[in-house]
Amino acid sequence: MSTSPDHPALARRLGTLDATVIGVGSMVGAGVFVAFAPAAALAGPWLLPALLLAAVVAWCNATSTAQLAAVHPASGGTYLYANRQLGPWPGFVAGWGFVTGKTASAAAMALTFGLYAAELTGADDAGARLLAVAAVLALTAVNLGGVTRTARLTRLLVAPVLVVLLAVVGVLFWGTGPATGGPGPDGSSTGKGALQNGTVWDGTVWDGSAWGVLPAAGILFFAFAGYARVATMGEEVRNPARTIPRAVLGALAGTLVLYGLLGLGLLRFLGVDRLAAATAPLLTVVREAGWAPGPAAAGAVVVTAAAALATLGALLALVAGISRTALAMARGRDLPGPLAAVSRRQRVPWAAELAVAGIVVVLVLVGDVRTVIGFSSFGVLVYYALANLSALTLEQRPGWAPRAVNAIGLAGCAVLACTLPWPSVLTMLGVFAVGLSGRALVLARRR
């Protein structure tokens, strides 16, 4: 995992602000525009406790990651940390889970952008896929231009998205919607919107108990994913021991406040039943805010455009993070050596960037958004479980990161992983089996 004259180190160009923006841009992606509806369908009126549980697990994971990144300030994230703290096999499991799961997630994110962009342009399904491919290629070109360009574009993408989300928060708390006595889509009032047992969203049903909090937290955890993206880029951060913890925890804190306001506001404005039935909750809000048809249509366009921009911001940081982990795995001889190539001028892992982009483009052309999120989430939860386990082994630790935080994060990841749909779990276990078998075969041939 060391550098060499043929594979030089990456350049440290990211400060605290840029690193924090990358973290926020990684989290405030498409998930925030869709995740509250399926979570409400699972948790019913227990939506906010589910959000809090997801936030607690994410905070523990972020704390563990920040600890490790300060001790091991190089690219690779938990692949590197687990290698150094636990050994090469746990490190491989973490890296393999991240690269495979997040590559599938990147394809899903690109497809989501294509769907939103098609909504704006009137393109058909084929056109949506072509728009998704164009987005992947364009963002890869930006990443190849250097990490400062990545940070600069992330700022440009995140700023309008945050403005739109804050405007929606204003509508949620000060507007009149179905749950607050306003008119529903047919002009009738829907009262307080109390969820009745049996409400369905995409095949999921709240059964009237609080047990739905756990799977709902697993879904909402997907909306938090990305808070530690900057840790995978630790080799490009200035003063990493100080910058990475500030950026990771600061980005997560700000996003948590935003998500809390959105969750509480959606419950107030739509009520649990209408929220659970909505496929695009924020679009439902602007359409049911009691505005005239013209402004309502304009509001829907603005929210759709914001969702597309948010997806681009998350995809930009996601591809950058995957390529850095692939770089570290190639340096450790857990992936093909050519992927460790670093451009001498821009100091970016160009080979890994291009390889990730190529795989994502193939998945975009042949895949389906709905088929990858579940097993991607399982892979990421395994990844963060190993991050927490690695942090538990640290002897020296700051006062803000006691061992109890690492233990809670480890337990939380295990619980959330077990609540995911079994087909998704079995699929990702198969992916892990393929990776582990391949590594064992390669090691046997090296002897």
Side-chain angles (χ1 to χ4, degrees):
M1 287 178 284
S2 61
T3 60
S4 69
D6 294 329
H7 304 306
L10 306 182
R12 295 194 181 278
R13 294 171 176 165
L14 293 176
T16 301
L17 178 60
D18 284 339
T20 304
V21 169
I22 287 175
V24 173
S26 300
M27 281 183 280
V28 185
V32 69
F33 290 86
V34 298
F36 283 104
L42 288 164
W46 300 89
L47 176 65
L48 293 181
L51 178 64
L52 180 60
L53 177 58
V56 168
V57 175
W59 188 270
C60 292
N61 293 348
T63 300
S64 297
T65 302
Q67 287 177 264
L68 292 160
V71 176
H72 306 292
S75 290
T78 301
Y79 167 73
L80 175 72
Y81 312 148
N83 254 292
R84 294 183 178 178
Q85 298 296 139
L86 303 174
W89 282 100
F92 176 82
V93 170
W96 185 252
F98 183 86
V99 169
T100 56
K102 284 299 186 180
T103 299
S105 183
M109 201 70 72
L111 283 167
T112 303
F113 165 78
L115 294 173
Y116 279 118
E119 179 77 14
L120 293 171
T121 61
D124 58 10
D125 180 70
R129 291 182 185 271
L130 290 177
L131 288 168
V133 169
V136 172
L137 297 178
L139 295 180
T140 300
V142 171
N143 281 332
L144 290 173
V147 72
T148 53
R149 291 189 181 181
T150 300
R152 191 178 303 121
L153 181 57
T154 301
R155 286 199 300 269
L156 293 176
L157 292 172
V158 167
V161 173
L162 292 179
V163 169
V164 170
L165 289 176
L166 290 174
V168 171
V169 168
V171 172
L172 292 173
F173 284 97
W174 288 283
T176 300
T180 55
D186 60 355
S188 62
S189 175
T190 57
K192 290 295 181 182
L195 180 65
Q196 302 297 318
N197 295 355
T199 293
V200 178
W201 189 96
D202 194 25
T204 58
V205 182
W206 179 57
D207 62 4
S209 73
W211 289 108
V213 166
L214 292 178
I219 288 175
L220 291 168
F221 182 82
F222 177 78
F224 283 106
Y227 48 82
R229 187 74 67 246
V230 70
T232 64
M233 306 169 72
E235 198 172 313
E236 295 160 279
V237 175
R238 297 194 299 267
N239 194 357
R242 183 186 66 178
T243 299
I244 293 177
R246 289 183 176 182
V248 170
L249 298 177
L252 181 58
T255 304
L256 174 58
V257 171
L258 177 61
Y259 285 4
L261 291 173
L262 284 170
L264 185 61
L266 286 168
L267 287 175
R268 173 196 175 275
F269 189 91
L270 293 177
V272 187
D273 54 348
R274 296 195 60 79
L275 175 57
T279 55
L282 302 190
L283 278 177
T284 301
V285 168
V286 298
R287 287 169 176 162
E288 297 187 0
W291 299 350
V301 169
V302 169
V303 171
T304 303
L309 291 177
T311 305
L312 284 180
L315 180 60
L316 177 66
L318 185 57
V319 172
I322 297 169
S323 65
R324 270 63 177 181
T325 300
L327 167 71
M329 294 185 73
R331 286 173 174 173
R333 302 181 69 190
D334 280 328
L335 285 179
L339 294 178
V342 173
S343 61
R344 295 188 179 277
R345 181 177 180 182
Q346 300 298 341
R347 297 290 185 91
V348 296
W350 64 269
E353 289 270 11
L354 293 177
V356 170
I359 296 171
V360 171
V361 166
V362 171
L363 292 175
V364 164
L365 293 176
V366 303
D368 185 336
V369 176
R370 295 167 296 179
T371 61
V372 298
I373 291 179
F375 79 82
S376 173
S377 296
F378 183 80
V380 173
L381 285 166
V382 170
Y383 173 86
Y384 282 120
L386 287 168
N388 286 294
L389 186 59
S390 298
L392 272 170
T393 67
L394 292 174
E395 295 297 331
Q396 296 182 345
R397 55 185 56 243
W400 46 265
R403 292 184 189 276
V405 171
N406 309 143
I408 293 171
L410 176 60
C413 287
V415 170
L416 293 185
C418 291
T419 65
L420 291 171
W422 279 108
S424 299
V425 173
L426 293 175
T427 298
M428 197 60 195
L429 287 176
V431 172
F432 277 121
V434 169
L436 291 169
S437 300
R439 185 175 193 271
L441 181 61
V442 170
L443 290 178
R445 289 183 175 179
R446 288 176 184 170
R447 293 171 183 167

